[in-house]
Amino acid sequence: MGDSIVVVGGGPGGLFLATLLARQDSAATVTVYERNRRSDAFGFGVVFSDATLREIDAADSVLRDGLADHGTHWDRIEVRSDGESYGFAGNGMAAIHRKTLLGLLQDNAEAAGVDVRYSTVAPPVAELAAAHDLVVGADGTSSTVRDYLQEHTDLGHSVATAEAKFIWFATEHIFDGLTFLHRRSEHGNFAAHAYPISDELSTFIVETDHETWERAGLDQFDVTQPPGPSDERSQAYLAELFADDIDGAALVANNSRWANFRTRRTTTWFRGNVALLGDAVHTAHFSVGSGTKMAMEDAIELARQLGVHRDRPTALAAYQDARTPAVARIQDAAVPSLAWWERFGQYQRDLDPFTFAFHFFSRSIAVDRIARRDPELVATARARWAERHGTDALHTPLDLAGARTAGRVLELTVVDGQGQLSERGGPVVPVSTAASTGGPTAGSDAGVIRVDAPDDESHLAKAAHSLPDRGAVLITGGTALTRILLSEEARLRRGLVSVVVDNLSDAEIETALLAGRVDAVARPEGEAL
């Protein structure tokens, strides 16, 4: 007699897992509890990269076939701002309507012999765990299975809530591919992520900052009410704001309401015979990955390990060990991307349209990798720099506290306890300790003022108070991200010359220069480390 397996949650990850397990062991009894009706589907499109498609296709052709018959595919992403448009080619992606994908996965599961119980709330997890060999929580970010596990063990579960607001719609305007639209109203900046999901609809996700959201009066809808109603006031406001971008087409709502994205991280993914999958255990900002994609990859790995190891605790531990680093890579890549979206309005105001687009394209990738996908984009960025400065970015001279460097790659050394910036054969510029407001300014006898970045983004405003009124700063401490964010505050909004300390490659330094993040980078040497 085969195992008795229960999956709580009939979303793409849960259905995909149930299908794989039922096919893997024909003697197994696999049951899925889904509280919504079979026809219910909240949200619109689901996006997959070409690399992800290959992995999922190796496990089951349902997604490949669905995309071929019902989906869309594109290679180029585009940023539109202030009437200008710039693209980044070589980014193969595909999308499908979530409702269509769910229907295909439901048919697939039922054909495999899975008992899918729609409109049915799962029994208490304790009862399920006692009555079945395996229980898998694939029940999303508000997982009741995760809540049960946390009552009995420390899962190492954390939640970080973003400040930006977002809302999901669709539009009847069909975009060519993934397109980022930026608009300013009298209330502030708004941005849309738009991409086609069928011949009839494109997904249309809008983001804005909290202050703009409030000024626009978009905070009146009661988001605590049960799923179903949409925010019609916001729907009308955004349809008018983006009317030129969607050729006056309608915005289509489906449980559309404002929210703040929450990044979930979990150290322990199982306890006993109860395991977690998908958004129940991890999330990553939608600008870098699809929660559906990650859940389906979880399902592939969990089914694989259950097939390899007959001992269930060994299988679940192997599943956790295999997926943890893969998920961490996506979540780590999402950190700078989420930070960008938290500040997109500032960047749109600070940077010219091309640099703004390049700043976005390069938020998690350096020019060498960009050039492999789209050499023309990198060539344009380099040509624009050369036109302004007369040479390439790394070898452009910089006036730094009364000295003139030959290039933008410097060294930070400590001599007799004194920090100094230099380059081979070039001048030596002293570094002073951090300045307080009204303290010494760079460009005086003090040389470059050192300012420490904070360990997390929440303390950036406090660190910015230490920036001098004029001159040059050396950004140290903190993390790679907070050093860059403080550098951008210094050079883009304070007009300072900003040098960031980091062990970056030449390609990474060139990227930061071309995108306007830094004026130079100093690699630490010897005691400066």
Side-chain angles (χ1 to χ4, degrees):
M1 185 174 179
D3 289 340
S4 175
I5 300 169
V6 167
V7 178
V8 180
L15 289 169
F16 196 52
L17 173 67
T19 302
L20 295 177
L21 293 177
R23 288 179 178 167
Q24 190 166 281
D25 182 1
S26 59
T29 301
V30 184
T31 304
V32 174
Y33 286 95
E34 171 50 49
R35 64 181 180 179
N36 294 311
R37 296 172 299 177
R38 194 185 198 280
S39 59
D40 288 340
F42 298 113
F44 292 101
V46 183
V47 179
F48 299 90
S49 69
D50 286 351
T52 297
L53 288 175
R54 287 190 290 271
E55 182 175 358
I56 295 176
D57 184 46
D60 191 308
S61 65
V62 60
L63 182 57
R64 178 197 63 195
D65 296 340
L67 287 166
D69 294 338
H70 309 284
T72 61
H73 188 275
W74 62 86
D75 178 74
R76 184 177 185 268
I77 61 177
E78 184 178 345
V79 170
R80 300 179 189 173
S81 176
D82 288 340
E84 299 184 29
S85 178
Y86 298 98
F88 179 10
N91 295 278
M93 296 181 185
I96 188 171
H97 198 301
R98 180 179 176 85
K99 188 170 186 176
T100 302
L101 177 61
L102 269 176
L104 295 171
L105 291 170
Q106 289 164 348
D107 292 344
N108 219 28
E110 291 161 3
V114 177
D115 177 13
V116 186
R117 301 182 183 180
Y118 301 104
S119 303
T120 304
V121 175
V125 180
E127 293 182 15
L128 293 174
H132 300 276
D133 296 300
L134 176 65
V135 178
V136 179
D139 49 342
T141 58
S142 301
S143 171
T144 58
V145 179
R146 185 188 64 238
D147 291 345
Y148 165 81
L149 289 178
Q150 288 192 120
E151 292 175 0
H152 298 85
T153 190
D154 180 10
L155 298 179
H157 184 73
S158 65
V159 183
T161 303
E163 295 181 4
K165 310 293 291 188
F166 75 94
I167 189 168
W168 286 68
F169 292 104
T171 175
E172 295 170 355
H173 176 81
I174 306 304
F175 288 88
D176 294 331
L178 181 55
T179 307
F180 299 95
L181 311 165
H182 293 270
R183 289 285 177 180
R184 280 192 297 267
S185 73
E186 67 271 26
H187 305 114
N189 285 73
F190 291 83
H193 312 227
Y195 54 88
I197 58 175
S198 71
D199 294 335
E200 300 176 349
L201 287 176
S202 296
T203 286
F204 201 83
I205 311 167
V206 179
E207 291 199 76
T208 191
D209 60 88
H210 186 89
E211 292 74 20
T212 298
W213 175 71
E214 286 189 326
R215 284 193 298 268
L218 304 180
D219 56 346
Q220 298 178 19
F221 183 82
D222 179 11
V223 298
T224 64
Q225 59 185 296
S230 294
D231 185 343
E232 295 179 357
R233 176 187 178 90
S234 294
Q235 183 180 5
Y237 180 97
L238 296 172
E240 180 179 356
L241 179 63
F242 288 97
D244 289 345
D245 300 292
I246 58 179
D247 293 333
L251 288 184
V252 180
N254 178 359
N255 194 44
S256 302
R257 49 185 71 184
W258 292 99
N260 298 75
F261 189 83
R262 294 175 178 172
T263 300
R264 295 183 179 273
R265 296 175 183 264
T266 311
T267 303
T268 302
W269 294 28
F270 72 98
R271 178 181 181 273
N273 66 334
V274 181
L276 299 171
L277 175 151
D279 285 353
V281 70
H282 53 66
T283 58
H285 192 253
F286 48 80
S287 62
V288 300
S290 159
T292 298
K293 175 207 74 153
M294 294 170 69
M296 293 179 77
E297 290 172 339
D298 286 350
I300 292 170
E301 190 60 41
L302 179 52
R304 177 185 296 128
Q305 297 300 340
L306 288 169
V308 170
H309 302 285
R310 291 305 303 166
D311 179 69
R312 193 160 294 107
T314 301
L316 296 180
Y319 156 64
Q320 174 183 293
D321 291 345
R323 286 298 292 155
T324 296
V327 168
R329 283 193 295 272
I330 296 172
Q331 291 186 314
D332 290 346
V335 171
S337 186
L338 176 57
W340 194 94
W341 283 107
E342 295 275 71
R343 297 164 178 82
F344 75 87
Q346 290 181 325
Y347 295 138
Q348 204 262 354
R349 295 188 294 270
D350 291 338
L351 302 169
D352 67 85
F354 176 83
T355 305
F356 173 65
F358 189 80
H359 191 283
F360 171 70
F361 294 147
S362 63
R363 67 199 187 282
S364 300
I365 184 174
V367 289
D368 53 344
R369 292 175 59 198
I370 295 175
R372 287 198 288 270
R373 301 184 191 179
D374 191 343
E376 184 177 344
L377 172 61
V378 173
T380 300
R382 287 170 171 165
R384 289 172 63 94
W385 179 281
E387 184 179 354
R388 291 195 305 271
H389 301 283
T391 186
D392 66 88
L394 296 181
H395 298 95
T396 297
L398 178 66
D399 292 324
L400 185 64
R404 187 170 177 81
T405 70
R408 302 300 179 100
V409 183
L410 309 178
E411 292 181 356
L412 174 64
T413 56
V414 175
V415 178
D416 297 328
Q418 172 68 49
Q420 58 185 33
L421 292 171
S422 63
E423 55 185 342
R424 289 184 179 86
V428 173
V429 180
V431 177
S432 72
T433 55
S436 59
T437 302
T441 58
S444 68
D445 292 340
V448 177
I449 302 296
R450 192 197 86 208
V451 179
D452 286 338
D455 289 332
D456 62 73
E457 297 174 55
S458 64
H459 296 112
L460 275 168
K462 181 178 180 181
H465 286 307
S466 296
L467 293 170
D469 298 328
R470 59 185 175 86
V473 291
L474 180 73
I475 309 292
T476 63
T479 67
L481 176 60
T482 59
R483 288 194 294 273
I484 288 295
L485 293 176
L486 187 58
S487 173
E488 291 173 338
E489 174 66 27
R491 71 178 306 277
L492 297 178
R493 293 160 213 128
R494 309 291 182 96
L496 305 174
V497 174
S498 177
V499 182
V500 169
V501 177
D502 212 331
N503 273 313
L504 301 181
S505 67
D506 283 358
E508 291 169 325
I509 295 173
E510 183 185 12
T511 307
L513 292 166
L514 295 176
R517 296 184 173 96
V518 303
D519 290 297
V521 170
R523 292 168 174 154
E525 300 289 338
E527 292 181 45
L529 289 170

